């Protein structure tokens, strides 16, 4: 009897391991590792550890993604100009036609007035795992959700759908935090890097569209700041990518915000092109993102420190790669507005939920001043110190805690 039980347990364990192996094989294929034999070898040698297998595959002689080799084909972005709702719908229809993993009933429900709920729920199951997996192909769920949310944002109704709102405010920050800042980024092959960049472009389109109406989409803007951060793991990994944005240069003309020529870089920056970073900045401009962002400053409701910081921080992260004179023309009045907000804070303002963002806003203003208005840096530091002293002396517990955290 004991021998029989032992055989059953062994068979059950083998079946489970085989199932896990197949699941991991599928994950590797979806990430761009298309050699099944090599994938199986990697999983076998690493004890079916998907993370170690990815490192093994990425370090193999088949991938060298520091530069694009002649055999690599860069995915062509479908969107190069401002999008109409019809163009969004047409692209999603193409995307849905390519999707083979969903039932025909589900696809027929994804009309222009509804969000891709089933795709979103599937994404949730993949993103929030310890061994997370985020699909990056145009016909897969992240792309479908981004396109669907963008279409609703263009219509001004993205926040009215519960799942779309959750996608924008919770899942997007979580997913792109992993795609931009995870140590795993350094081990991904070129095909995956291109896939991430493709999703970044779609996200830029969504954020630009969503900024067209109130309230300020703080979570999306915080994610945009991560995308624009030249110090992120993803941007550091791909800092040698060349700028391939001639279509942006042609369409934007004088509106071009990110430097497109290395000749305009300082000597210290010329060896690090950050071509992909500069492309998504100019893409945001092309999608009327700047125009919509500036409109948020004219909101009927008074902005909070959290909202001021969300609106100003994205371009503070990449300011070394912008035409400074154009940045000044676009944002001088808004920077002054945020600075006056901080100067005029009263005791009751420190009790608000966004009071913890005051120091973050001051840090953003100081970062901007260090490049754009160098003569104001000392003023920013003095203001920072004054606010710190004011918060320490307040009786409000939250204000005290925020000031103490800043001291640390």
């Amino acid at each position: 009897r004991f021998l029989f039980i032992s055989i059953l347990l062994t068979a059950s364990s083998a079946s489970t391991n085989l199932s896990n192996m197949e699941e991991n094989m599928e994950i590797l294929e979806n990430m761009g590792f298309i050699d099944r034999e090599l994938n199986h070898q990697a999983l076998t040698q690493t004890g079916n550890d998907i993370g170690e297998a990815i490192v093994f595959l990425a370090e193999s002689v088949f991938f060298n993604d520091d530069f694009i080799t002649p055999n690599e084909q860069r995915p062509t972005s479908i969107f190069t100009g401002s999008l109409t709702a019809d163009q969004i719908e047409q692209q999603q229809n193409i995307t849905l036609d390519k999707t083979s993993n969903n039932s025909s009933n589900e696809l027929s429900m994804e009309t222009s007035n509804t969000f891709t709920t089933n795709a979103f729920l599937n994404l949730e199951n993949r993103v929030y795992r310890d061994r997370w997996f985020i699909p990056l192909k145009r016909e897969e769920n992240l792309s479908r959700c981004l396109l669907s949310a963008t279409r609703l944002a263009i219509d001004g109704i993205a926040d009215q759908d519960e799942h779309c709102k959750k996608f924008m405010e919770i899942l997007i920050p979580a997913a792109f935090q992993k795609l931009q800042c995870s140590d795993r980024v350094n081990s991904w092959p070129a095909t995956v890097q291109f896939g991430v960049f493709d999703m970044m472009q779609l996200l830029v389109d969504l954020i630009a569209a969503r900024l067209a109406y109130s309230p300020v989409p703080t979570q999306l803007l915080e994610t945009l700041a991560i995308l624009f951060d030249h110090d992120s793991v993803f941007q550091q990994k791909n800092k040698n990518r060349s700028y391939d944005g001639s279509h942006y240069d042609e369409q934007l003309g004088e509106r071009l915000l990110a430097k497109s020529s290395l000749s305009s870089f300082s000597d210290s920056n010329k060896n690090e092109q950050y071509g992909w970073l500069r492309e998504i900045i100019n893409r945001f401009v092309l999608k009327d993102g700047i125009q919509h962002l500036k409109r948020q400053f004219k909101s009927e409701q008074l902005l909070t420190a959290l909202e001021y910081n969300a609106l100003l921080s994205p371009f503070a992260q990449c300011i070394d790669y912008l035409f400074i004179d154009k940045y000044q023309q676009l944002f001088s009045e808004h920077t002054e507005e945020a600075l006056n907000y901080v100067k005029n804070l009263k005791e009751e303002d420190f009790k608000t939920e966004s009071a913890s963002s005051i120091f973050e806003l001051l840090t953003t203003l100081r970062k901007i001043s260090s490049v754009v208005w160098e003569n104001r840096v000392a003023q920013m530091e003095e203001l920072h110190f004054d606010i710190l002293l004011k918060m320490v002396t307040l009786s409000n517990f939250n204000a005290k805690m925020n000031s103490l955290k800043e001291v640390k």
Side-chain angles (χ1 to χ4, degrees), residues 285-300:
V285 180
L286 187 62
K287 301 296 180 178
D288 294 328
I290 295 287
Q291 176 184 335
H292 294 160
L293 187 148
K294 286 174 66 65
R295 188 181 301 166
Q296 292 286 345
F297 284 99
K298 302 184 184 303
S299 171
E300 294 179 0

Side-chain angles (χ1 to χ4, degrees), residues 240-268:
N240 292 317
R241 302 284 185 184
S242 60
Y243 179 79
D244 187 23
S246 57
H247 52 290
Y248 296 127
D249 300 356
E250 293 171 3
Q251 294 185 60
L252 288 173
E254 292 299 316
R255 294 171 58 208
L256 196 70
L257 182 58
K259 301 172 182 177
S260 58
S261 171
L262 290 178
S263 62
S264 58
F265 280 27
S266 64
D267 292 336
S268 60

Side-chain angles (χ1 to χ4, degrees), residues 16-31:
T16 300
N17 289 338
L18 181 61
S19 175
N20 290 340
M21 176 76 78
E22 283 301 318
E23 181 181 347
N24 288 340
M25 289 279 285
E26 181 183 353
I27 290 175
L28 290 175
E29 287 184 36
N30 286 331
M31 292 184 67

Side-chain angles (χ1 to χ4, degrees), residues 211-228:
L211 279 166
Y213 60 92
S214 297
V216 177
T218 54
Q219 293 91 343
L220 285 178
L221 285 168
E222 288 167 358
T223 307
L224 184 66
I226 294 174
L227 264 57
F228 284 0

Side-chain angles (χ1 to χ4, degrees), residues 257 364 408:
L257 182 58
T364 296
K408 291 180 181 180

Side-chain angles (χ1 to χ4, degrees), residues 61-305:
V61 296
F62 296 98
F63 297 105
N64 178 8
D65 59 326
D66 288 335
F67 297 93
I68 302 176
T69 64
N71 293 328
E72 289 178 358
Q73 291 188 353
R74 177 172 180 168
T76 302
S77 176
I78 295 175
F79 308 134
T80 57
S82 298
L83 292 172
T84 65
D86 289 341
Q87 288 171 325
I88 287 283
E89 182 173 0
Q90 180 183 14
Q91 174 52 34
Q92 189 167 41
N93 287 337
I94 294 171
T95 300
L96 295 179
D97 288 341
K98 292 180 179 179
T99 304
S100 59
N101 295 330
N102 297 285
S103 67
S104 58
N105 288 337
E106 177 187 342
L107 297 184
S108 65
M109 292 175 62
E110 293 176 1
T111 66
S112 59
N113 294 323
T114 60
F115 181 62
T116 50
T117 299
N118 288 339
F120 164 71
L121 295 174
N122 180 274
L123 262 182
E124 279 193 315
N125 291 331
R126 292 171 178 260
V127 171
Y128 300 128
R129 297 178 181 178
D130 289 335
R131 294 183 178 182
W132 49 269
F133 165 60
I134 301 172
L136 301 172
K137 295 180 181 177
R138 280 290 178 118
E139 66 270 18
E140 293 180 325
N141 287 335
L142 178 58
S143 173
R144 293 172 61 197
C145 288
L146 288 167
L147 289 167
S148 179
T150 302
R151 181 174 16 178
L152 295 179
I154 289 174
D155 292 338
I157 58 174
D159 296 67
Q160 296 176 22
D161 184 287
E162 175 187 354
H163 290 104
C164 184
K165 185 176 175 66
K166 190 175 179 182
F167 172 67
M168 293 189 297
E169 295 182 355
I170 301 176
L171 192 141
I172 281 179
F176 280 88
Q177 176 74 24
K178 296 176 189 295
L179 293 175
Q180 299 295 299
C181 304
S182 169
D183 290 336
R184 295 185 190 181
V185 173
N186 287 315
S187 64
W188 292 339
T191 49
V192 178
Q193 305 288 345
F194 281 124
V196 173
F197 182 58
D198 208 22
M199 295 303 104
M200 291 166 63
Q201 294 177 82
L202 294 185
L203 178 57
V204 164
D205 297 350
L206 168 58
I207 297 173
R210 173 56 190 82
L211 279 166
Y213 60 92
S214 297
V216 177
T218 54
Q219 293 91 343
L220 285 178
L221 285 168
E222 288 167 358
T223 307
L224 184 66
I226 294 174
L227 264 57
F228 284 0
D229 184 2
H230 74 283
D231 272 334
S232 71
V233 178
F234 181 85
Q235 292 295 352
Q236 285 295 309
K237 173 67 177 176
N238 294 285
K239 63 185 178 183
N240 292 317
R241 302 284 185 184
S242 60
Y243 179 79
D244 187 23
S246 57
H247 52 290
Y248 296 127
D249 300 356
E250 293 171 3
Q251 294 185 60
L252 288 173
E254 292 299 316
R255 294 171 58 208
L256 196 70
L257 182 58
K259 301 172 182 177
S260 58
S261 171
L262 290 178
S263 62
S264 58
F265 280 27
S266 64
D267 292 336
S268 60
N269 288 337
K270 283 185 178 179
N271 294 327
E272 300 175 350
Q273 298 189 46
Y274 290 100
W276 282 2
L277 170 61
R278 292 183 285 139
E279 283 185 48
I280 60 172
I281 293 170
N282 285 333
R283 184 185 186 91
F284 182 76
V285 180
L286 187 62
K287 301 296 180 178
D288 294 328
I290 295 287
Q291 176 184 335
H292 294 160
L293 187 148
K294 286 174 66 65
R295 188 181 301 166
Q296 292 286 345
F297 284 99
K298 302 184 184 303
S299 171
E300 294 179 0
Q301 294 186 340
L302 295 177
L303 297 178
T304 65

